[in-house]
Amino acid sequence: MAVSSGPEFDAQMMDIALAMARRGLGTTAPNPSVGAVVVDEQSGEILGRGWTQPGGRPHGEPVALDVAGERARGGTLYVTLEPCSHFGQTPPCVSAILEAGIARVVCGITDPDPRVSGRGLEQLRDAGIDVVRSIRLDEGRWVTRGHVLRVSERRPFVQLKLALGRDGRIALGGAGQPQWVTSPEARAHGALLRAEADAILVGAGTLRDDNPDLTCRLPGLAHRSPLRVVLAGNAVLGPEYRLFQTADKVPVRVFYPGDMAAAQAKKDAPKGVDVRAGLTVGGRLWLPAILEVLAADGVTRLLVEGGSTIWHAFSEAGLVDEVVVYRAGDRSRDPIEATTSDVAHYMPNTNLEIFQARRIGDDHVISLRPR
């Protein structure tokens, strides 16, 4: 009998696989980031770890199996998402698992992709491999939510980012300069959200007020800057904006309402800027259609940075999966208690509850999710 086995051990190993999957967020689209761990259950030794590599391949399973090498034979593979069973640009992961001689596979969630959807696990069982699924189910669904939503709802995972001052309000920029309300440490933490996103979205108002470049400026992570998306509305956007000046290095896409507005904007668009016509309802860009276009282009995780009009629009459309609030420290109020009501001011149509809260220096980072 294995000395390192049982539900508790399975959960611990799956936690490591989930940590591996998080490393790839923002780099693997349109593929999901999958974490995998190969373990010798007799000794409890981890033989190999891996996650989906940039560009979406190789997948996490063959990476972990390659690290384990021959020692993988007779071992257990922990994987956050059901191994693929179809031929794409790479052979199916099921084949790699069978060739490695894995004896047991513990899976987080079943893949909703109709090309897989239970077939991978079925093939493993048919080959005599012991298969266990639904370990750390909620966590697996969350880390893979962008992939799940893209397959099931034809939209990406939508994460809204807010920076609130001590009074619970945003500080409006002016003259093309942002107004900071949180510390450099909190802003650095917020930059990690950009590194984990496939695309980042703002409205024309934020572009005009703050003139952001919307890149990931953390040392060593500049290459993780996501696609930059602007909802232009009726604004006229010229080459003076920072993000247009680097469009040849980090892609920019601008949505205008209707074909005529987009055609006119294309004539004046800076080099490297992709101008699209967005479907409108009542003369305004229709968010579900925008998200469907982004999903079709491979975006699985969308970070929405603002401003308040955009936040309200996403809330109104029921397109909020998570809100991350960076709140300036204030010892005179309970920041956790105040945040729910402050966020409701910007997103009155989304019933949110606090999922996680932590301090970074004097500031607070609070995550809220729909009830």
Side-chain angles (χ1 to χ4, degrees), residues 59-244:
H59 296 177
E61 300 94 309
V63 172
L65 291 169
D66 283 348
V67 173
E70 283 300 315
R71 298 186 69 195
R73 193 162 300 278
T76 297
L77 173 69
Y78 293 85
V79 60
T80 56
L81 180 69
E82 176 183 8
C84 63
S85 55
H86 63 285
F87 279 88
Q89 295 189 25
T90 56
C93 291
V94 166
S95 298
I97 294 169
L98 296 177
E99 290 172 8
I102 289 291
R104 182 170 180 258
V105 172
V106 180
C107 174
I109 67 171
T110 302
D111 193 340
D113 189 325
R115 296 172 299 176
V116 186
S117 193
R119 294 183 184 89
L121 298 181
E122 183 179 359
Q123 287 183 19
L124 293 174
R125 290 192 188 96
D126 289 345
I129 293 177
D130 179 21
V131 174
V132 178
R133 65 176 185 172
S134 301
I135 301 298
R136 290 287 196 246
L137 183 62
D138 290 342
E139 293 87 344
R141 283 173 175 162
W142 187 255
V143 79
T144 320
R145 189 160 175 77
H147 170 68
V148 171
L149 288 171
R150 181 171 179 263
V151 171
S152 62
E153 298 185 21
R154 294 192 298 181
R155 71 169 180 88
F157 166 79
V158 177
Q159 183 182 58
L160 273 61
K161 174 186 166 189
L162 282 68
L164 303 181
R166 290 180 172 84
D167 59 357
R169 296 292 180 261
I170 61 172
L172 297 176
Q177 294 295 327
Q179 179 67 44
W180 304 117
V181 295
T182 55
S183 65
E185 293 80 8
R187 296 200 298 275
H189 187 276
L192 287 174
L193 299 185
R194 293 182 179 180
E196 293 179 350
D198 303 324
I200 178 172
L201 182 147
V202 297
T206 295
L207 199 65
R208 180 185 61 248
D209 293 340
D210 296 348
N211 195 10
D213 63 8
L214 301 179
T215 56
C216 184
R217 296 183 298 278
L218 291 176
L221 289 180
H223 65 288
R224 297 276 293 265
S225 296
L227 167 71
R228 297 170 292 178
V229 180
V230 180
L231 302 187
N234 296 314
V236 178
L237 304 178
E240 68 274 12
Y241 293 106
R242 291 192 184 102
L243 79 171
F244 293 146

Side-chain angles (χ1 to χ4, degrees), residues 9 13 16 36-40 43-49 68 71:
F9 183 78
M13 294 301 103
I16 296 174
V37 180
V38 181
V39 178
D40 178 350
S43 64
E45 181 183 0
I46 293 176
L47 306 175
R49 298 180 298 174
R71 298 186 69 195

Side-chain angles (χ1 to χ4, degrees), residues 228 242-252 270-273:
R228 297 170 292 178
R242 291 192 184 102
L243 79 171
F244 293 146
Q245 295 166 11
T246 56
D248 58 331
K249 299 180 179 66
V250 181
V252 176
K271 185 178 180 180
V273 176

